[in-house]
Amino acid sequence: MTDLSRIDRNILRHLQEDGRLTNAELAKAVNVSPATCHRRTQALFEAGHITTVRGQVNPASVDLGTLVMVGVVLDRSTPESFAAFEKAVDGMTELLDCHLVAGDFDYLLKIRVKEMKDFNKMHTKMLIALPGVRQIRTFFVLKEIKENAPLKF
Amino acid sequence: MTDLSRIDRNILRHLQEDGRLTNAELAKAVNVSPATCHRRTQALFEAGHITTVRGQVNPASVDLGTLVMVGVVLDRSTPESFAAFEKAVDGMTELLDCHLVAGDFDYLLKIRVKEMKDFNKMHTKMLIALPGVRQIRTFFVLKEIKENAPLKF
DNA sequence: GATGAAATCCGAGTCAC
DNA sequence: GTGACTCGGATTTCATC
């Protein structure tokens, strides 16, 4: 992964801001010719500096307006129990984030559902049924101050 | 916010998957004419069902490879203290998420920095200096199992 | 070895139906 | 909602530094 030039970082910045920018617009914004801009941008994708371009769907529009954060503690801290948990959790469609962390929890999850009652159903049917789970702490999100903000660089 | 048709949901799904789809490609994927697809898509943007299209920048490529989750407890639970905290936190460039939650914490934060030492600097200079903060619990992310997964609907 | 200019081709966006 | 038409941008090639 080679170091990025000022121009490359600028392209990344603009594409993060608006992924629908045409190549012509992008070229103007970063002060290079369209041809150069096109090549640079493709290279950034190929090198994995940009992975995808995603439309940000309003969660409420697709019945996923309720956000819940969950802290999980496993029974035993063996490699097997972690692997089992991660495998089991992978299929959960409601799951947005899953992070192995150091601290009072083993995992922190971010989950989207339609309503609280849907979370409760999920809580009893899926979460406490996950392998090796000792404790689950639920944090209902009351207000989203900032959600998935773009990177500043 | 009127209900979405099967076609509209399909457009959302595809644009979430790949925001660079041309209108022609998108039309083919959802089985309508390009003209129709174009109007539908515009309507979806205007109604706010899609907010933006964003390039997903690889955090490590821009020196933000370390992810940290933070739980915050405020001193006093007054409307003023919450407002003050939210205002103060808004300017933090490293902040990706900030959620007011119900449970053992008042706020949960998601933060990206280059390295742990950068977080420590931030921890002492910014976090514990935020107004009305009683307690901060830090969860360094050891492994990102799932990060910002697309919505399933 | 990367750049910008030009040239071709294809899709965006608009219209009438 | 569809089909056609026009204009502008995407993408490639090529000469240049």
Side-chain angles (χ1 to χ4, degrees):
Chain A
M1 186 142 22
T2 163
D3 237 30
L4 297 176
S5 71
R6 215 183 84 337
I7 291 179
D8 288 329
R9 290 168 69 95
N10 230 305
I11 291 176
L12 291 182
R13 233 176 256 123
H14 279 92
L15 282 182
Q16 188 187 221
E17 199 64 37
D18 182 1
R20 289 180 308 156
L21 278 174
T22 66
N23 182 61
E25 292 168 323
L26 186 56
K28 217 167 290 176
V30 302
N31 269 312
V32 292
S33 74
T36 298
C37 184
H38 186 254
R39 270 193 308 263
R40 296 270 200 141
T41 303
Q42 277 209 332
L44 288 172
F45 275 96
E46 271 156 32
H49 296 126
I50 300 190
T51 50
T52 57
V53 176
R54 287 217 319 237
Q56 311 282 309
V57 175
N58 180 357
S61 297
V62 292
D63 285 341
L64 294 169
T66 300
L67 187 56
V68 188
M69 312 293 280
V70 178
V72 175
V73 181
L74 295 192
D75 260 341
R76 310 185 306 140
S77 293
T78 64
E80 293 76 25
S81 61
F82 284 105
F85 178 83
E86 290 175 19
K87 183 153 176 261
V89 101
D90 193 49
M92 289 177 53
T93 58
E94 302 89 341
L95 187 68
L96 301 187
D97 285 11
C98 173
H99 296 123
L100 175 66
V101 297
D104 295 344
F105 297 114
D106 289 316
Y107 289 97
L108 284 175
L109 313 181
K110 186 198 237 182
I111 290 171
R112 274 203 178 277
V113 290
K114 184 177 181 189
E115 300 167 14
M116 292 220 180
K117 68 175 184 193
D118 298 301
F119 177 76
N120 281 329
K121 209 163 55 183
M122 202 188 136
H123 180 269
T124 51
K125 285 208 182 146
M126 298 225 36
L127 290 176
I128 63 180
L130 286 172
V133 168
R134 173 200 299 254
Q135 192 195 52
I136 288 180
R137 189 134 310 181
T138 301
F139 304 93
F140 282 105
V141 172
L142 306 175
K143 185 180 172 192
E144 305 183 16
I145 318 298
K146 205 175 253 196
E147 162 72 6
N148 199 20
L151 305 177
K152 298 280 174 48
F153 58 95
Chain B
M1 189 140 23
T2 164
D3 239 29
L4 296 175
S5 72
R6 215 180 80 351
I7 292 179
D8 288 328
R9 289 168 71 95
N10 231 305
I11 291 176
L12 291 181
R13 234 176 254 122
H14 279 91
L15 283 182
Q16 188 186 222
E17 200 63 37
D18 182 1
R20 288 180 309 157
L21 280 173
T22 65
N23 182 62
E25 292 169 323
L26 185 56
K28 217 168 291 177
V30 302
N31 269 311
V32 293
S33 72
T36 299
C37 184
H38 187 256
R39 289 191 310 104
R40 295 268 202 146
T41 303
Q42 279 209 331
L44 289 172
F45 275 96
E46 270 157 32
H49 295 126
I50 300 190
T51 50
T52 57
V53 177
R54 287 217 320 237
Q56 310 282 310
V57 175
N58 179 356
S61 296
V62 293
D63 285 341
L64 292 170
T66 300
L67 187 56
V68 188
M69 312 292 280
V70 178
V72 175
V73 182
L74 296 192
D75 260 339
R76 309 186 305 141
S77 294
T78 63
E80 293 76 25
S81 60
F82 285 104
F85 178 83
E86 291 174 19
K87 183 153 177 259
V89 103
D90 193 50
M92 288 177 54
T93 58
E94 301 91 341
L95 187 68
L96 300 188
D97 284 10
C98 173
H99 296 124
L100 175 66
V101 297
D104 294 344
F105 297 114
D106 289 314
Y107 289 97
L108 284 175
L109 314 181
K110 185 197 241 184
I111 291 171
R112 274 203 179 277
V113 291
K114 183 178 184 189
E115 301 168 13
M116 291 221 181
K117 67 176 184 191
D118 297 301
F119 176 76
N120 282 329
K121 209 162 58 182
M122 204 189 134
H123 181 269
T124 51
K125 284 207 184 147
M126 299 225 34
L127 290 176
I128 61 179
L130 286 172
V133 168
R134 173 199 302 251
Q135 192 196 53
I136 288 180
R137 189 136 308 184
T138 301
F139 304 93
F140 282 105
V141 173
L142 306 175
K143 186 179 171 194
E144 305 184 14
I145 318 297
K146 205 173 252 197
E147 162 72 6
N148 198 20
L151 305 177
K152 299 279 175 44
F153 57 96

